[in-house]
PDB file of all heavy atoms in Angstrom:
ATOM      1  N   GLU A 280      -1.280   2.367   7.159  1.00 97.00           N
ATOM      2  CA  GLU A 280      -1.856   2.365   5.812  1.00 97.00           C
ATOM      3  C   GLU A 280      -0.749   2.535   4.787  1.00 97.00           C
ATOM      4  O   GLU A 280       0.112   3.388   4.937  1.00 97.00           O
ATOM      5  CB  GLU A 280      -2.943   3.442   5.688  1.00 97.00           C
ATOM      6  CG  GLU A 280      -2.584   4.843   6.162  1.00 97.00           C
ATOM      7  CD  GLU A 280      -1.799   5.609   5.122  1.00 97.00           C
ATOM      8  OE1 GLU A 280      -2.272   5.742   3.990  1.00 97.00           O
ATOM      9  OE2 GLU A 280      -0.689   6.093   5.454  1.00 97.00           O
ATOM     10  N   ASN A 281      -0.792   1.652   3.783  1.00 94.00           N
ATOM     11  CA  ASN A 281       0.229   1.647   2.735  1.00 94.00           C
ATOM     12  C   ASN A 281      -0.252   0.786   1.566  1.00 94.00           C
ATOM     13  O   ASN A 281      -1.200  -0.004   1.720  1.00 94.00           O
ATOM     14  CB  ASN A 281       1.547   1.079   3.280  1.00 94.00           C
ATOM     15  CG  ASN A 281       2.530   2.171   3.692  1.00 94.00           C
ATOM     16  OD1 ASN A 281       2.900   3.034   2.889  1.00 94.00           O
ATOM     17  ND2 ASN A 281       2.917   2.142   4.952  1.00 94.00           N
ATOM     18  N   PRO A 282       0.388   0.885   0.415  1.00 94.00           N
ATOM     19  CA  PRO A 282       0.058  -0.019  -0.693  1.00 94.00           C
ATOM     20  C   PRO A 282       0.428  -1.475  -0.328  1.00 94.00           C
ATOM     21  O   PRO A 282       1.269  -1.707   0.541  1.00 94.00           O
ATOM     22  CB  PRO A 282       0.923   0.495  -1.852  1.00 94.00           C
ATOM     23  CG  PRO A 282       1.299   1.882  -1.472  1.00 94.00           C
ATOM     24  CD  PRO A 282       1.387   1.897   0.015  1.00 94.00           C
ATOM     25  N   LEU A 283      -0.175  -2.426  -1.023  1.00 96.00           N
ATOM     26  CA  LEU A 283       0.082  -3.851  -0.756  1.00 96.00           C
ATOM     27  C   LEU A 283       1.553  -4.189  -0.887  1.00 96.00           C
ATOM     28  O   LEU A 283       2.063  -5.052  -0.150  1.00 96.00           O
ATOM     29  CB  LEU A 283      -0.732  -4.724  -1.716  1.00 96.00           C
ATOM     30  CG  LEU A 283      -2.260  -4.634  -1.620  1.00 96.00           C
ATOM     31  CD1 LEU A 283      -2.891  -5.629  -2.590  1.00 96.00           C
ATOM     32  CD2 LEU A 283      -2.753  -4.878  -0.211  1.00 96.00           C
ATOM     33  N   SER A 284       2.259  -3.533  -1.816  1.00 91.00           N
ATOM     34  CA  SER A 284       3.669  -3.846  -2.017  1.00 91.00           C
ATOM     35  C   SER A 284       4.487  -3.600  -0.745  1.00 91.00           C
ATOM     36  O   SER A 284       5.358  -4.396  -0.384  1.00 91.00           O
ATOM     37  CB  SER A 284       4.249  -3.030  -3.173  1.00 91.00           C
ATOM     38  OG  SER A 284       4.044  -1.643  -2.957  1.00 91.00           O
ATOM     39  N   LEU A 285       4.186  -2.509  -0.041  1.00 90.00           N
ATOM     40  CA  LEU A 285       4.906  -2.208   1.206  1.00 90.00           C
ATOM     41  C   LEU A 285       4.410  -3.058   2.357  1.00 90.00           C
ATOM     42  O   LEU A 285       5.195  -3.419   3.252  1.00 90.00           O
ATOM     43  CB  LEU A 285       4.788  -0.724   1.537  1.00 90.00           C
ATOM     44  CG  LEU A 285       5.692   0.231   0.751  1.00 90.00           C
ATOM     45  CD1 LEU A 285       5.466   1.677   1.155  1.00 90.00           C
ATOM     46  CD2 LEU A 285       7.167  -0.131   0.927  1.00 90.00           C
ATOM     47  N   ILE A 286       3.134  -3.378   2.347  1.00 94.00           N
ATOM     48  CA  ILE A 286       2.586  -4.264   3.391  1.00 94.00           C
ATOM     49  C   ILE A 286       3.307  -5.620   3.308  1.00 94.00           C
ATOM     50  O   ILE A 286       3.683  -6.186   4.343  1.00 94.00           O
ATOM     51  CB  ILE A 286       1.062  -4.438   3.214  1.00 94.00           C
ATOM     52  CG1 ILE A 286       0.359  -3.108   3.489  1.00 94.00           C
ATOM     53  CG2 ILE A 286       0.527  -5.530   4.145  1.00 94.00           C
ATOM     54  CD1 ILE A 286      -1.119  -3.092   3.109  1.00 94.00           C
ATOM     55  N   GLU A 287       3.544  -6.092   2.093  1.00 93.00           N
ATOM     56  CA  GLU A 287       4.250  -7.371   1.920  1.00 93.00           C
ATOM     57  C   GLU A 287       5.724  -7.245   2.293  1.00 93.00           C
ATOM     58  O   GLU A 287       6.248  -8.043   3.090  1.00 93.00           O
ATOM     59  CB  GLU A 287       4.135  -7.853   0.477  1.00 93.00           C
ATOM     60  CG  GLU A 287       4.851  -9.183   0.266  1.00 93.00           C
ATOM     61  CD  GLU A 287       5.082  -9.529  -1.200  1.00 93.00           C
ATOM     62  OE1 GLU A 287       5.507  -8.642  -1.966  1.00 93.00           O
ATOM     63  OE2 GLU A 287       4.877 -10.688  -1.573  1.00 93.00           O
ATOM     64  N   SER A 288       6.411  -6.249   1.714  1.00 87.00           N
ATOM     65  CA  SER A 288       7.864  -6.166   1.910  1.00 87.00           C
ATOM     66  C   SER A 288       8.228  -5.874   3.363  1.00 87.00           C
ATOM     67  O   SER A 288       9.301  -6.259   3.823  1.00 87.00           O
ATOM     68  CB  SER A 288       8.471  -5.098   0.983  1.00 87.00           C
ATOM     69  OG  SER A 288       7.966  -3.816   1.287  1.00 87.00           O
ATOM     70  N   ALA A 289       7.328  -5.217   4.112  1.00 91.00           N
ATOM     71  CA  ALA A 289       7.601  -4.918   5.519  1.00 91.00           C
ATOM     72  C   ALA A 289       7.134  -6.027   6.454  1.00 91.00           C
ATOM     73  O   ALA A 289       7.272  -5.913   7.673  1.00 91.00           O
ATOM     74  CB  ALA A 289       6.908  -3.601   5.903  1.00 91.00           C
ATOM     75  N   SER A 290       6.575  -7.097   5.885  1.00 94.00           N
ATOM     76  CA  SER A 290       6.102  -8.260   6.670  1.00 94.00           C
ATOM     77  C   SER A 290       5.063  -7.877   7.718  1.00 94.00           C
ATOM     78  O   SER A 290       5.027  -8.448   8.816  1.00 94.00           O
ATOM     79  CB  SER A 290       7.288  -8.975   7.355  1.00 94.00           C
ATOM     80  OG  SER A 290       8.209  -9.413   6.403  1.00 94.00           O
ATOM     81  N   PHE A 291       4.184  -6.950   7.365  1.00 96.00           N
ATOM     82  CA  PHE A 291       3.151  -6.535   8.318  1.00 96.00           C
ATOM     83  C   PHE A 291       2.158  -7.665   8.609  1.00 96.00           C
ATOM     84  O   PHE A 291       1.418  -7.610   9.590  1.00 96.00           O
ATOM     85  CB  PHE A 291       2.409  -5.289   7.818  1.00 96.00           C
ATOM     86  CG  PHE A 291       3.218  -4.019   7.903  1.00 96.00           C
ATOM     87  CD1 PHE A 291       3.078  -3.035   6.939  1.00 96.00           C
ATOM     88  CD2 PHE A 291       4.124  -3.803   8.923  1.00 96.00           C
ATOM     89  CE1 PHE A 291       3.816  -1.854   7.001  1.00 96.00           C
ATOM     90  CE2 PHE A 291       4.872  -2.643   9.010  1.00 96.00           C
ATOM     91  CZ  PHE A 291       4.728  -1.652   8.044  1.00 96.00           C
ATOM     92  N   ASN A 292       2.150  -8.700   7.770  1.00 97.00           N
ATOM     93  CA  ASN A 292       1.300  -9.858   8.043  1.00 97.00           C
ATOM     94  C   ASN A 292       1.655 -10.531   9.361  1.00 97.00           C
ATOM     95  O   ASN A 292       0.830 -11.225   9.959  1.00 97.00           O
ATOM     96  CB  ASN A 292       1.414 -10.886   6.908  1.00 97.00           C
ATOM     97  CG  ASN A 292       2.849 -11.371   6.698  1.00 97.00           C
ATOM     98  OD1 ASN A 292       3.664 -10.641   6.142  1.00 97.00           O
ATOM     99  ND2 ASN A 292       3.161 -12.569   7.164  1.00 97.00           N
ATOM    100  N   GLU A 293       2.865 -10.307   9.836  1.00 97.00           N
ATOM    101  CA  GLU A 293       3.293 -10.907  11.116  1.00 97.00           C
ATOM    102  C   GLU A 293       2.693 -10.191  12.314  1.00 97.00           C
ATOM    103  O   GLU A 293       2.659 -10.746  13.414  1.00 97.00           O
ATOM    104  CB  GLU A 293       4.830 -10.893  11.202  1.00 97.00           C
ATOM    105  CG  GLU A 293       5.509 -11.752  10.147  1.00 97.00           C
ATOM    106  CD  GLU A 293       7.028 -11.691  10.238  1.00 97.00           C
ATOM    107  OE1 GLU A 293       7.545 -11.165  11.249  1.00 97.00           O
ATOM    108  OE2 GLU A 293       7.700 -12.142   9.299  1.00 97.00           O
ATOM    109  N   VAL A 294       2.232  -8.946  12.123  1.00 98.00           N
ATOM    110  CA  VAL A 294       1.724  -8.158  13.256  1.00 98.00           C
ATOM    111  C   VAL A 294       0.334  -7.568  12.994  1.00 98.00           C
ATOM    112  O   VAL A 294      -0.202  -6.835  13.828  1.00 98.00           O
ATOM    113  CB  VAL A 294       2.711  -7.030  13.629  1.00 98.00           C
ATOM    114  CG1 VAL A 294       3.931  -7.588  14.352  1.00 98.00           C
ATOM    115  CG2 VAL A 294       3.135  -6.209  12.419  1.00 98.00           C
ATOM    116  N   GLN A 295      -0.254  -7.868  11.838  1.00 98.00           N
ATOM    117  CA  GLN A 295      -1.585  -7.358  11.500  1.00 98.00           C
ATOM    118  C   GLN A 295      -2.406  -8.494  10.871  1.00 98.00           C
ATOM    119  O   GLN A 295      -1.888  -9.287  10.081  1.00 98.00           O
ATOM    120  CB  GLN A 295      -1.503  -6.190  10.499  1.00 98.00           C
ATOM    121  CG  GLN A 295      -0.742  -4.983  11.047  1.00 98.00           C
ATOM    122  CD  GLN A 295      -1.649  -3.991  11.778  1.00 98.00           C
ATOM    123  OE1 GLN A 295      -2.134  -3.012  11.245  1.00 98.00           O
ATOM    124  NE2 GLN A 295      -1.861  -4.252  13.059  1.00 98.00           N
ATOM    125  N   ASP A 296      -3.693  -8.520  11.212  1.00 98.00           N
ATOM    126  CA  ASP A 296      -4.561  -9.609  10.752  1.00 98.00           C
ATOM    127  C   ASP A 296      -5.377  -9.251   9.509  1.00 98.00           C
ATOM    128  O   ASP A 296      -5.706 -10.147   8.720  1.00 98.00           O
ATOM    129  CB  ASP A 296      -5.547 -10.014  11.878  1.00 98.00           C
ATOM    130  CG  ASP A 296      -4.828 -10.578  13.096  1.00 98.00           C
ATOM    131  OD1 ASP A 296      -3.752 -11.178  12.912  1.00 98.00           O
ATOM    132  OD2 ASP A 296      -5.346 -10.409  14.216  1.00 98.00           O
ATOM    133  N   TYR A 297      -5.730  -7.968   9.356  1.00 98.00           N
ATOM    134  CA  TYR A 297      -6.668  -7.580   8.312  1.00 98.00           C
ATOM    135  C   TYR A 297      -6.082  -6.544   7.349  1.00 98.00           C
ATOM    136  O   TYR A 297      -5.350  -5.635   7.772  1.00 98.00           O
ATOM    137  CB  TYR A 297      -7.943  -6.994   8.936  1.00 98.00           C
ATOM    138  CG  TYR A 297      -8.705  -7.967   9.786  1.00 98.00           C
ATOM    139  CD1 TYR A 297      -8.540  -7.990  11.168  1.00 98.00           C
ATOM    140  CD2 TYR A 297      -9.587  -8.886   9.205  1.00 98.00           C
ATOM    141  CE1 TYR A 297      -9.236  -8.896  11.966  1.00 98.00           C
ATOM    142  CE2 TYR A 297     -10.290  -9.805   9.992  1.00 98.00           C
ATOM    143  CZ  TYR A 297     -10.101  -9.807  11.374  1.00 98.00           C
ATOM    144  OH  TYR A 297     -10.786 -10.705  12.151  1.00 98.00           O
ATOM    145  N   VAL A 298      -6.433  -6.718   6.083  1.00 98.00           N
ATOM    146  CA  VAL A 298      -6.221  -5.656   5.085  1.00 98.00           C
ATOM    147  C   VAL A 298      -7.613  -5.127   4.752  1.00 98.00           C
ATOM    148  O   VAL A 298      -8.425  -5.832   4.135  1.00 98.00           O
ATOM    149  CB  VAL A 298      -5.533  -6.162   3.815  1.00 98.00           C
ATOM    150  CG1 VAL A 298      -5.429  -5.031   2.786  1.00 98.00           C
ATOM    151  CG2 VAL A 298      -4.156  -6.723   4.116  1.00 98.00           C
ATOM    152  N   ASN A 299      -7.903  -3.914   5.184  1.00 98.00           N
ATOM    153  CA  ASN A 299      -9.202  -3.296   4.922  1.00 98.00           C
ATOM    154  C   ASN A 299      -9.092  -2.514   3.624  1.00 98.00           C
ATOM    155  O   ASN A 299      -8.282  -1.589   3.506  1.00 98.00           O
ATOM    156  CB  ASN A 299      -9.563  -2.366   6.085  1.00 98.00           C
ATOM    157  CG  ASN A 299      -9.495  -3.096   7.422  1.00 98.00           C
ATOM    158  OD1 ASN A 299     -10.360  -3.872   7.770  1.00 98.00           O
ATOM    159  ND2 ASN A 299      -8.409  -2.863   8.166  1.00 98.00           N
ATOM    160  N   VAL A 300      -9.874  -2.905   2.626  1.00 98.00           N
ATOM    161  CA  VAL A 300      -9.690  -2.385   1.267  1.00 98.00           C
ATOM    162  C   VAL A 300     -10.336  -1.008   1.159  1.00 98.00           C
ATOM    163  O   VAL A 300     -11.423  -0.822   0.585  1.00 98.00           O
ATOM    164  CB  VAL A 300     -10.252  -3.363   0.212  1.00 98.00           C
ATOM    165  CG1 VAL A 300      -9.906  -2.889  -1.194  1.00 98.00           C
ATOM    166  CG2 VAL A 300      -9.688  -4.759   0.453  1.00 98.00           C
ATOM    167  N   THR A 301      -9.641  -0.030   1.727  1.00 97.00           N
ATOM    168  CA  THR A 301     -10.131   1.358   1.731  1.00 97.00           C
ATOM    169  C   THR A 301      -9.844   2.070   0.410  1.00 97.00           C
ATOM    170  O   THR A 301     -10.567   2.993   0.045  1.00 97.00           O
ATOM    171  CB  THR A 301      -9.475   2.151   2.874  1.00 97.00           C
ATOM    172  OG1 THR A 301      -8.056   1.909   2.833  1.00 97.00           O
ATOM    173  CG2 THR A 301     -10.011   1.728   4.228  1.00 97.00           C
ATOM    174  N   ASP A 302      -8.768   1.677  -0.272  1.00 97.00           N
ATOM    175  CA  ASP A 302      -8.373   2.355  -1.525  1.00 97.00           C
ATOM    176  C   ASP A 302      -8.384   3.877  -1.341  1.00 97.00           C
ATOM    177  O   ASP A 302      -8.786   4.609  -2.237  1.00 97.00           O
ATOM    178  CB  ASP A 302      -9.315   1.981  -2.682  1.00 97.00           C
ATOM    179  CG  ASP A 302      -9.132   0.552  -3.169  1.00 97.00           C
ATOM    180  OD1 ASP A 302      -8.184  -0.113  -2.720  1.00 97.00           O
ATOM    181  OD2 ASP A 302      -9.972   0.108  -3.991  1.00 97.00           O
ATOM    182  N   HIS A 303      -7.942   4.352  -0.173  1.00 96.00           N
ATOM    183  CA  HIS A 303      -8.161   5.769   0.163  1.00 96.00           C
ATOM    184  C   HIS A 303      -7.273   6.736  -0.606  1.00 96.00           C
ATOM    185  O   HIS A 303      -7.621   7.912  -0.738  1.00 96.00           O
ATOM    186  CB  HIS A 303      -8.012   6.011   1.667  1.00 96.00           C
ATOM    187  CG  HIS A 303      -6.726   5.489   2.242  1.00 96.00           C
ATOM    188  ND1 HIS A 303      -6.558   4.183   2.636  1.00 96.00           N
ATOM    189  CD2 HIS A 303      -5.555   6.117   2.531  1.00 96.00           C
ATOM    190  CE1 HIS A 303      -5.346   4.032   3.123  1.00 96.00           C
ATOM    191  NE2 HIS A 303      -4.703   5.173   3.060  1.00 96.00           N
ATOM    192  N   VAL A 304      -6.148   6.269  -1.120  1.00 96.00           N
ATOM    193  CA  VAL A 304      -5.354   7.109  -2.027  1.00 96.00           C
ATOM    194  C   VAL A 304      -5.024   6.303  -3.266  1.00 96.00           C
ATOM    195  O   VAL A 304      -4.314   5.300  -3.207  1.00 96.00           O
ATOM    196  CB  VAL A 304      -4.037   7.615  -1.371  1.00 96.00           C
ATOM    197  CG1 VAL A 304      -3.209   8.405  -2.390  1.00 96.00           C
ATOM    198  CG2 VAL A 304      -4.326   8.491  -0.166  1.00 96.00           C
ATOM    199  N   ARG A 305      -5.588   6.732  -4.372  1.00 96.00           N
ATOM    200  CA  ARG A 305      -5.205   6.196  -5.683  1.00 96.00           C
ATOM    201  C   ARG A 305      -4.338   7.257  -6.347  1.00 96.00           C
ATOM    202  O   ARG A 305      -4.726   8.424  -6.406  1.00 96.00           O
ATOM    203  CB  ARG A 305      -6.445   5.918  -6.547  1.00 96.00           C
ATOM    204  CG  ARG A 305      -7.241   4.732  -6.080  1.00 96.00           C
ATOM    205  CD  ARG A 305      -8.384   4.452  -7.032  1.00 96.00           C
ATOM    206  NE  ARG A 305      -9.105   3.244  -6.663  1.00 96.00           N
ATOM    207  CZ  ARG A 305      -8.758   2.011  -7.039  1.00 96.00           C
ATOM    208  NH1 ARG A 305      -7.702   1.844  -7.831  1.00 96.00           N
ATOM    209  NH2 ARG A 305      -9.444   0.970  -6.663  1.00 96.00           N
ATOM    210  N   SER A 306      -3.202   6.859  -6.831  1.00 95.00           N
ATOM    211  CA  SER A 306      -2.297   7.868  -7.369  1.00 95.00           C
ATOM    212  C   SER A 306      -1.492   7.307  -8.540  1.00 95.00           C
ATOM    213  O   SER A 306      -1.582   6.128  -8.869  1.00 95.00           O
ATOM    214  CB  SER A 306      -1.353   8.374  -6.265  1.00 95.00           C
ATOM    215  OG  SER A 306      -0.576   7.303  -5.750  1.00 95.00           O
ATOM    216  N   TRP A 307      -0.723   8.163  -9.123  1.00 97.00           N
ATOM    217  CA  TRP A 307       0.148   7.754 -10.225  1.00 97.00           C
ATOM    218  C   TRP A 307       1.482   8.455 -10.099  1.00 97.00           C
ATOM    219  O   TRP A 307       1.669   9.327  -9.245  1.00 97.00           O
ATOM    220  CB  TRP A 307      -0.515   8.047 -11.571  1.00 97.00           C
ATOM    221  CG  TRP A 307      -0.542   9.494 -11.999  1.00 97.00           C
ATOM    222  CD1 TRP A 307       0.317  10.115 -12.851  1.00 97.00           C
ATOM    223  CD2 TRP A 307      -1.505  10.495 -11.608  1.00 97.00           C
ATOM    224  NE1 TRP A 307      -0.042  11.444 -13.020  1.00 97.00           N
ATOM    225  CE2 TRP A 307      -1.155  11.694 -12.278  1.00 97.00           C
ATOM    226  CE3 TRP A 307      -2.617  10.509 -10.772  1.00 97.00           C
ATOM    227  CZ2 TRP A 307      -1.874  12.887 -12.128  1.00 97.00           C
ATOM    228  CZ3 TRP A 307      -3.342  11.680 -10.631  1.00 97.00           C
ATOM    229  CH2 TRP A 307      -2.970  12.841 -11.298  1.00 97.00           C
ATOM    230  N   ILE A 308       2.395   8.042 -10.927  1.00 96.00           N
ATOM    231  CA  ILE A 308       3.736   8.597 -10.891  1.00 96.00           C
ATOM    232  C   ILE A 308       4.205   8.800 -12.336  1.00 96.00           C
ATOM    233  O   ILE A 308       3.767   8.099 -13.233  1.00 96.00           O
ATOM    234  CB  ILE A 308       4.683   7.656 -10.109  1.00 96.00           C
ATOM    235  CG1 ILE A 308       5.908   8.391  -9.575  1.00 96.00           C
ATOM    236  CG2 ILE A 308       5.059   6.418 -10.914  1.00 96.00           C
ATOM    237  CD1 ILE A 308       6.557   7.696  -8.402  1.00 96.00           C
ATOM    238  N   TYR A 309       5.042   9.810 -12.542  1.00 98.00           N
ATOM    239  CA  TYR A 309       5.524  10.107 -13.892  1.00 98.00           C
ATOM    240  C   TYR A 309       6.955   9.658 -14.095  1.00 98.00           C
ATOM    241  O   TYR A 309       7.769   9.721 -13.163  1.00 98.00           O
ATOM    242  CB  TYR A 309       5.479  11.613 -14.161  1.00 98.00           C
ATOM    243  CG  TYR A 309       4.114  12.198 -14.443  1.00 98.00           C
ATOM    244  CD1 TYR A 309       3.579  13.179 -13.611  1.00 98.00           C
ATOM    245  CD2 TYR A 309       3.368  11.796 -15.550  1.00 98.00           C
ATOM    246  CE1 TYR A 309       2.322  13.733 -13.865  1.00 98.00           C
ATOM    247  CE2 TYR A 309       2.122  12.347 -15.818  1.00 98.00           C
ATOM    248  CZ  TYR A 309       1.603  13.322 -14.978  1.00 98.00           C
ATOM    249  OH  TYR A 309       0.377  13.864 -15.245  1.00 98.00           O
ATOM    250  N   VAL A 310       7.255   9.258 -15.317  1.00 98.00           N
ATOM    251  CA  VAL A 310       8.641   9.190 -15.767  1.00 98.00           C
ATOM    252  C   VAL A 310       8.891  10.521 -16.464  1.00 98.00           C
ATOM    253  O   VAL A 310       8.151  10.906 -17.371  1.00 98.00           O
ATOM    254  CB  VAL A 310       8.880   8.030 -16.767  1.00 98.00           C
ATOM    255  CG1 VAL A 310      10.328   8.065 -17.249  1.00 98.00           C
ATOM    256  CG2 VAL A 310       8.561   6.700 -16.106  1.00 98.00           C
ATOM    257  N   VAL A 311       9.898  11.249 -15.988  1.00 98.00           N
ATOM    258  CA  VAL A 311      10.186  12.582 -16.548  1.00 98.00           C
ATOM    259  C   VAL A 311      11.595  12.628 -17.127  1.00 98.00           C
ATOM    260  O   VAL A 311      12.491  11.909 -16.693  1.00 98.00           O
ATOM    261  CB  VAL A 311      10.019  13.699 -15.491  1.00 98.00           C
ATOM    262  CG1 VAL A 311       8.580  13.762 -14.984  1.00 98.00           C
ATOM    263  CG2 VAL A 311      10.984  13.503 -14.310  1.00 98.00           C
ATOM    264  N   ILE A 312      11.764  13.519 -18.099  1.00 98.00           N
ATOM    265  CA  ILE A 312      13.082  13.787 -18.685  1.00 98.00           C
ATOM    266  C   ILE A 312      13.302  15.296 -18.663  1.00 98.00           C
ATOM    267  O   ILE A 312      12.335  16.075 -18.748  1.00 98.00           O
ATOM    268  CB  ILE A 312      13.162  13.237 -20.131  1.00 98.00           C
ATOM    269  CG1 ILE A 312      14.585  13.393 -20.708  1.00 98.00           C
ATOM    270  CG2 ILE A 312      12.149  13.915 -21.046  1.00 98.00           C
ATOM    271  CD1 ILE A 312      14.788  12.677 -22.042  1.00 98.00           C
TER     272      ILE A 312
END
């Protein structure tokens, strides 16, 4: 389980058939100073 960006960059399409849209972790990130 990972975001689509990592699924693509890791080429998991070569070894996995399905993306099950669980959306199990929705999160955000901060830019901090």
